[in-house]
Amino acid sequence: QVQLEESGGGSVQAGGSLTLSCVASEYVPYMGWFRQAPGKEREGVAAMAHSPNTKYADSAEGRFTISRDIGKNTRFLPMNNLIPEDTGVYYCAAGRMWTSGIPTPREFDYWGQGTQVTVSS
């Protein structure tokens, strides 16, 4: 069972930045980031394959950048120019079935516990 641990959430004002990190207990080829706002479904934000193949949701394009440290099984999500609509619980996910599009929850088998991101106006 792959274990994922996120860190880096917090509270910022609009226009600020945060970087989320996710450490996996073992190598998994595909890793993604999702978020869930209160009362809304979990939505994909970004995903990355073991090769530098990345995909972003339209809302994240140009502001978020998914990256990796292969040797440490760690993925990062620097988030810049945050807006209040980015508020939610962010989840790291890992799996072997991602199809290279905007990530969907059903493509990922393993999930972290989530970290809260709050952006105030």
Side-chain angles (χ1 to χ4, degrees):
Q1 183 78 3
V2 177
Q3 304 293 323
L4 302 174
E5 182 173 356
E6 305 113 332
S7 61
S11 298
V12 296
Q13 291 189 329
S17 300
L18 287 171
T19 295
L20 305 182
S21 301
C22 176
V23 181
S25 59
E26 61 186 80
Y27 172 77
V28 185
Y30 305 131
M31 292 188 73
W33 289 97
F34 293 78
R35 69 184 175 200
Q36 189 164 17
K40 295 188 177 181
E41 294 185 353
R42 193 170 298 186
E43 62 175 352
V45 174
M48 168 178 266
H50 58 278
S51 60
N53 175 20
T54 59
K55 185 67 177 180
Y56 298 93
D58 290 345
S59 60
E61 190 77 57
R63 300 188 299 125
F64 298 1
T65 306
I66 192 170
S67 62
R68 61 185 178 172
D69 182 332
I70 297 175
K72 298 181 179 179
N73 286 331
T74 302
R75 298 295 190 272
F76 304 97
L77 188 70
M79 306 184 293
N80 298 312
N81 194 21
L82 286 161
I83 59 178
E85 289 76 12
D86 293 321
T87 294
V89 179
Y90 282 69
Y91 297 90
C92 174
R96 298 177 175 85
M97 297 177 60
W98 178 49
T99 57
S100 301
I102 295 174
T104 59
R106 62 183 179 182
E107 295 176 299
F108 293 83
D109 300 312
Y110 311 105
W111 294 85
Q113 79 283 0
T115 185
Q116 177 71 42
V117 172
T118 302
V119 184
S120 58
S121 58

